[in-house]
Amino acid sequence: MFDFLAERAHAHPHIALQRGFGPLALELRSGGETAFVTIDAGGVRFGPSASGSADLVMSARPEAWAELRKDNPAPGFQTVATMRRAQHLTVTGDMTKFQRHLLLLEMLFSGLEDGRPEAPPPAAPAVEPVTGRYLRLGIGGRAHRLYFEEAGAGLPLLCLHTAGSDGRQYRHILNDPEVTARFRVIAFDLPWHGKSSPPEGFGKEVYRLTTDSYVETVMAVADALKLEQPVVMGCSIGGRAVLHLALRHGSRFRAAIGLQSALYAEDRSPGDPVPDMALARPDIHAGMAAGASMAGMTAPGSPAAERWETMWHYMQGGPGVFAGDLHYYFEDGDLRNAGAAALADSDCPIYLLSGEYDVSATPEMGRELAELIGAAHFEVMKDVGHFPMSENPEAFRRYLLPVLDSILALKP
């Protein structure tokens, strides 16, 4: 059942780099069948581990392993981390090694390549119609220098990126003439993210994103850029933030678009409390761990190039930034006891789009939110995961364009 591992290990050059973390011994269980695999500088070998015991024991039903091997596995089976989070896979043993080697395990077990030929180079060099600039402003009584990109003209569309990433996630929308012909698309990097620097004195503090600081930042950017009745669109933590913005400042926005929005979030991976998510440990490469974790948040049908680019953004995050964002996502920004039902009477109509492969803000959680607040629109996006705008932009625009049409039809 597991013979394919040796072929993948020799075929992927990145796997050779991953072996530099040291040998890894796996015991793989499938029903009554057991296989022992050792991965080291010599490659992948089947048979008892050199030490006589496995570092990790990975156990799943035969049909679960078979689902993972499919070209388009069902939601919850697309990667090792996703299977574990959805409780289709049990992993025991040295969990520090599991996080350290997670990217290697995903490249071995999960279909992160879609087999499409690489895109040919452009016939001639082309400059994209996107302008990048820096904005100096005050947030929370401190001086900040924020980076933002914009394109197009018309109704402002202010875009909020996901936890641990930056505004590059919206590059396809910034380059979509059908959008920019009617909207001034603006995507900025939160402080500490992307090309936005932390404030002076950051070396003496631990970054933690809160509801208050997130809302204040968005409003400060909108005020500084003099945006009149903008549309705000956010994904993941941004999808939560648009709800807080509608609650506190609904009259300031023409509409809100929540991508992967939910009242709350929980990491259902067994034994993984949020503060210990391997994102700030000296013995684990946090960038690799973050990127590998996000592989499981994408859909198997999303193009490989876009999936890897989405992961790459996570691999570049500053120390502790992703974990600081998750403080808002899992704890401070929880809306279950924060009067979310008042959104039903908000001046700001809310449109919700949920990816079918998202195991964090699941389609069921999106539907629950939509029913609670009487959302203007709710739809489940097929073949899309947690990052619709970056992992599968062509699929996403088919859902986004009708929403934008509806917003333009609203009376100002």
Side-chain angles (χ1 to χ4, degrees):
M1 173 174 286
F2 301 105
D3 292 347
F4 70 94
L5 295 176
E7 179 182 350
R8 284 189 178 174
H10 290 296
H12 202 305
H14 280 263
I15 290 176
L17 296 177
Q18 295 299 299
R19 294 202 301 262
F21 279 109
L24 180 66
L26 306 175
E27 181 179 330
L28 307 177
R29 297 178 180 175
S30 176
E33 181 182 346
T34 300
F36 294 92
V37 180
T38 301
I39 307 167
D40 57 22
V44 174
R45 297 190 305 278
F46 291 87
S49 62
S51 63
S53 62
D55 297 309
L56 297 170
V57 177
M58 303 171 64
S59 178
R61 304 185 315 275
E63 54 269 29
W65 286 119
E67 189 68 32
L68 175 65
R69 291 292 316 279
K70 291 181 180 179
D71 290 338
N72 283 290
F77 293 89
Q78 59 262 42
T79 67
V80 166
T82 306
M83 285 179 60
R84 179 169 174 261
R85 186 165 184 167
Q87 301 183 20
H88 300 304
L89 170 70
T90 301
V91 181
T92 58
D94 188 337
M95 297 311 294
T96 298
K97 281 198 171 184
F98 176 76
Q99 294 291 350
R100 186 183 299 151
H101 292 274
L102 183 56
L103 185 59
L104 166 64
L105 293 173
E106 298 296 20
M107 286 190 287
L108 284 174
F109 286 90
S110 310
L112 299 183
E113 306 293 337
D114 65 359
R116 293 190 316 171
E118 292 187 11
V127 176
E128 296 184 2
V130 180
T131 301
R133 290 187 288 176
Y134 284 93
L135 173 65
R136 297 184 182 183
L137 75 171
I139 304 172
R142 305 175 73 179
H144 280 269
R145 184 171 182 260
L146 264 59
Y147 178 75
F148 72 98
E149 294 179 341
E150 65 174 301
L155 183 61
L157 176 60
L158 188 60
C159 301
L160 312 180
H161 60 74
T162 65
S165 191
D166 55 65
R168 287 177 293 177
Q169 292 180 319
Y170 288 96
R171 73 174 182 89
H172 296 280
I173 295 174
L174 285 159
N175 281 283
D176 190 327
E178 196 166 350
V179 176
T180 57
R182 301 175 294 165
F183 290 86
R184 178 190 175 192
V185 182
I186 302 165
F188 72 94
D189 299 344
L190 281 169
W192 300 72
H193 298 69
K195 296 174 77 172
S196 293
S197 298
E200 183 178 346
F202 76 92
K204 296 181 289 185
E205 63 188 276
V206 174
Y207 170 74
R208 288 289 183 271
L209 184 65
T210 66
T211 302
D212 290 343
S213 64
Y214 201 165
V215 169
E216 183 176 1
T217 298
V218 176
M219 298 308 298
V221 171
D223 289 342
L225 297 179
K226 297 180 172 57
L227 304 182
E228 296 290 338
Q229 288 286 293
V231 178
V232 62
M233 176 168 67
C235 184
S236 186
I237 61 167
R240 185 82 55 77
V242 303
L243 304 177
H244 283 115
L245 288 163
L247 275 173
R248 299 186 182 190
H249 303 283
S251 62
R252 291 284 305 277
F253 295 94
R254 178 78 165 268
I257 304 172
L259 311 176
Q260 314 315 123
S261 295
L263 293 171
Y264 67 99
E266 293 177 338
D267 189 342
R268 292 174 290 277
S269 301
D272 278 357
V274 172
D276 190 29
M277 292 188 68
L279 297 176
R281 293 181 56 132
D283 54 349
I284 294 175
H285 191 296
M288 285 186 176
S293 297
M294 295 306 100
M297 303 284 278
T298 61
S302 293
E306 279 72 21
R307 293 181 80 186
W308 276 98
E309 183 173 335
T310 299
M311 293 165 58
W312 179 249
H313 298 160
Y314 275 87
M315 294 177 181
Q316 296 179 313
V321 172
F322 190 12
D325 286 342
L326 293 179
H327 170 71
Y328 166 76
Y329 190 54
F330 287 111
E331 300 178 46
D332 192 81
D334 191 319
L335 272 169
R336 283 174 290 186
N337 297 311
L343 287 168
D345 300 317
S346 173
D347 294 328
C348 177
I350 299 172
Y351 298 76
L352 301 174
L353 297 172
S354 295
E356 69 166 334
Y357 275 89
D358 190 355
V359 294
S360 177
T362 65
E364 292 75 20
M365 296 169 75
R367 185 173 289 107
E368 175 189 5
L369 170 63
E371 292 173 355
L372 175 68
I373 67 175
H377 179 82
F378 170 74
E379 194 169 3
V380 176
M381 298 177 285
K382 298 293 184 182
D383 299 320
V384 170
H386 193 70
F387 312 95
M389 64 286 182
S390 64
E391 68 168 90
N392 198 336
E394 284 301 316
F396 174 55
R397 75 189 302 270
R398 294 197 295 269
Y399 295 94
L400 176 64
L401 291 178
V403 168
L404 295 179
D405 290 339
S406 297
I407 291 172
L408 285 174
L410 296 172
K411 291 183 180 180

